[in-house]
Amino acid sequence: MVKKDDILIFGLSASQKLTNDICDYLGVEQKEVNTIKFADGEMLVESLASVRGKEIYVIQSTCSPVNDNLMELLIAIDAFKRGSADKINVVIPYFGYARQDRKAKGRQPITAKLVANIIERAGADRVITVDIHSQQTMGFFDIPMDNFQTSQTMAEEIVNTIISNKLDHKNCILVSPDHGGLNRVHKVDGYTGVMTNGIATIAKRRPEPNKAEVEFILGDIKDKTCFVVDDMIDTGGTIINAAKALKAEGAKDVYIFAGHGLFNGPAKSRFEEAIKEGWVKEVVVTDTIDIPMEKRFEGLRIITVVELIADMIKASLNHESLTEVYQNKKEAIINKTLKFVKSC
């Protein structure tokens, strides 16, 4: 149990619900900030609670509107720093600009590095993200940086999906939507174990941003239920093309799992069509981004990362190993899968 005097948790505009749920789980009260927007678009962020000498956690996803949410976070960090907070932990469940982590061609910026520099300069002492786009971004920070992975959350939900839908686990397979995502899928496979049968990957090329073309599928997916695991869904075009390719190669059903559901632009209509046409059975994302009702659709399911983040915060406060938190969860999931398989 977390003592109420040990920690102050603040949620900013983009992560109010998630912060409330984390505080409820930990048994602490969320502290309030007042964010004021002026007529010209400027923002003022002030804490309504004293932070002097306190360790604080400020939670904010830098999702759409990305720049407004990023600026609110930076201004809040500065406010806490000038309020003499002892340690400022910045929790960014969805890290905007993470995809700009390298120069794809000449005269392009590396904006993920720029954002890391700005967050540091604002006064953050530690940064925590969830399923950041690429692990190399951790090296952009010169302060402690942790990336909490949803592998266990995804794996547990995949296991629950197999059990609740009475699927033949011997014909279930994990699929990476590209070569870069194989490490993520291997981690999920480490949790699901005997509940899934192998891994497949899709080779694709990107002629331009938010557009991908499938070249071939590596792995036997014919007559199998495919669980595609990705880090995020933006406009949906890439992942739906992957689902179409899997169905064209004989996949029985395709479930899509992703850490972050952005659902920008035509995403909603695309998924509505994909589910109607039978290319996609279900879409599962986490609540790192608070998805507004107008972006939701039938066939979308939202699972929570509250327990993941809250348990990690609790372990940090108690100076316990974060690795042990993952390991304990892994053992629980594996025991659940073994129990199910033995009963089959």
Side-chain angles (χ1 to χ4, degrees), residues 3-53:
K3 293 181 180 178
K4 293 184 179 180
D5 294 336
D6 288 345
I7 184 175
L8 298 181
I9 301 180
F10 296 85
L12 301 183
S13 298
S15 298
Q16 275 293 304
K17 184 181 184 305
L18 180 62
T19 306
N20 274 327
D21 292 343
I22 289 171
C23 288
D24 287 345
Y25 184 90
L26 291 173
V28 300
E29 181 184 355
Q30 180 186 170
K31 300 303 179 182
E32 293 184 37
V33 295
N34 186 25
T35 299
I36 302 170
K37 285 192 177 182
F38 298 105
D40 64 351
E42 290 183 15
M43 273 184 281
L44 183 149
V45 184
E46 59 181 343
S47 171
L48 301 183
S50 173
V51 297
R52 185 175 298 276

Side-chain angles (χ1 to χ4, degrees), residues 152-185:
Q152 60 182 24
T153 308
M154 297 284 187
E156 186 170 28
E157 199 57 37
I158 288 171
V159 169
N160 290 339
T161 300
I162 293 172
I163 294 173
S164 61
N165 291 301
K166 299 179 180 178
L167 303 176
D168 180 2
H169 68 91
K170 295 178 182 177
N171 283 321
C172 292
I173 187 170
L174 299 177
V175 180
S176 173
D178 52 39
H179 182 267
L182 271 173
N183 185 53
R184 183 181 307 107
V185 174

Side-chain angles (χ1 to χ4, degrees), residues 20-313:
N20 274 327
D21 292 343
I22 289 171
C23 288
D24 287 345
Y25 184 90
L26 291 173
V28 300
E29 181 184 355
Q30 180 186 170
K31 300 303 179 182
E32 293 184 37
V33 295
N34 186 25
T35 299
I36 302 170
K37 285 192 177 182
F38 298 105
D40 64 351
E42 290 183 15
M43 273 184 281
L44 183 149
V45 184
E46 59 181 343
S47 171
L48 301 183
S50 173
V51 297
R52 185 175 298 276
K54 300 288 187 178
E55 178 169 356
I56 69 168
Y57 283 77
V58 54
I59 303 175
Q60 172 85 322
S61 279
T62 51
C63 51
S64 179
V66 178
N67 296 330
D68 281 358
N69 288 330
L70 177 58
M71 279 305 302
E72 184 184 16
L73 176 61
L74 296 172
I75 295 168
I77 295 170
D78 187 68
F80 295 135
K81 181 181 179 182
R82 296 181 189 278
S84 300
D86 181 56
K87 183 179 181 182
I88 303 171
N89 300 277
V90 178
V91 182
I92 311 175
Y94 170 70
F95 188 99
Y97 286 111
R99 285 175 283 182
Q100 296 187 42
D101 56 359
R102 68 194 188 284
K103 289 178 67 173
K105 57 183 180 181
R107 299 183 298 281
Q108 285 190 345
I110 304 179
T111 316
K113 170 61 175 169
L114 172 64
V115 172
N117 289 344
I118 296 170
I119 291 172
E120 270 187 58
R121 187 67 182 87
D125 295 298
R126 179 190 179 201
V127 170
I128 297 165
T129 60
V130 178
D131 274 352
I132 200 161
H133 183 63
S134 60
Q135 297 287 326
Q136 70 192 43
T137 307
M138 298 175 71
F140 293 165
F141 291 89
D142 291 322
I143 56 176
M145 194 277 192
D146 293 299
N147 178 52
F148 297 164
Q149 298 177 352
T150 62
S151 305
Q152 60 182 24
T153 308
M154 297 284 187
E156 186 170 28
E157 199 57 37
I158 288 171
V159 169
N160 290 339
T161 300
I162 293 172
I163 294 173
S164 61
N165 291 301
K166 299 179 180 178
L167 303 176
D168 180 2
H169 68 91
K170 295 178 182 177
N171 283 321
C172 292
I173 187 170
L174 299 177
V175 180
S176 173
D178 52 39
H179 182 267
L182 271 173
N183 185 53
R184 183 181 307 107
V185 174
H186 277 296
K187 287 184 180 298
V188 174
D189 182 56
Y191 287 96
T192 57
V194 294
M195 286 293 279
T196 52
N197 187 14
I199 292 173
T201 186
I202 298 172
K204 66 184 182 184
R205 56 182 292 272
R206 286 190 178 275
E208 58 186 79
N210 289 124
K211 185 176 180 180
E213 297 174 354
V214 174
E215 293 184 312
F216 61 88
I217 298 169
L218 183 62
D220 180 16
I221 51 89
K222 185 173 175 57
D223 298 324
K224 293 185 178 180
T225 299
C226 297
F227 291 91
V228 183
V229 181
D230 207 352
D231 65 327
M232 72 175 69
I233 298 172
D234 193 345
T235 61
T238 300
I239 202 76
I240 289 173
N241 283 340
K244 286 182 181 178
L246 291 169
K247 291 290 286 185
E249 291 293 320
K252 183 179 179 182
D253 285 312
V254 178
Y255 291 81
I256 295 174
F257 282 71
H260 311 294
L262 281 70
F263 299 123
N264 292 318
K268 179 179 179 178
S269 60
R270 283 174 170 174
F271 278 110
E272 286 175 338
E273 180 188 10
I275 291 170
K276 181 182 177 181
E277 295 295 331
W279 303 324
V280 176
K281 186 76 172 179
E282 188 177 47
V283 180
V284 180
V285 298
T286 74
D287 56 355
T288 56
I289 296 173
D290 188 6
I291 304 168
M293 293 305 298
E294 61 268 21
K295 288 188 175 184
R296 300 188 184 191
F297 50 88
E298 189 175 347
L300 172 66
R301 189 151 51 91
I302 301 171
I303 58 178
T304 188
V305 292
V306 166
E307 186 176 337
L308 170 66
I309 296 176
D311 283 346
M312 293 299 188
I313 290 175

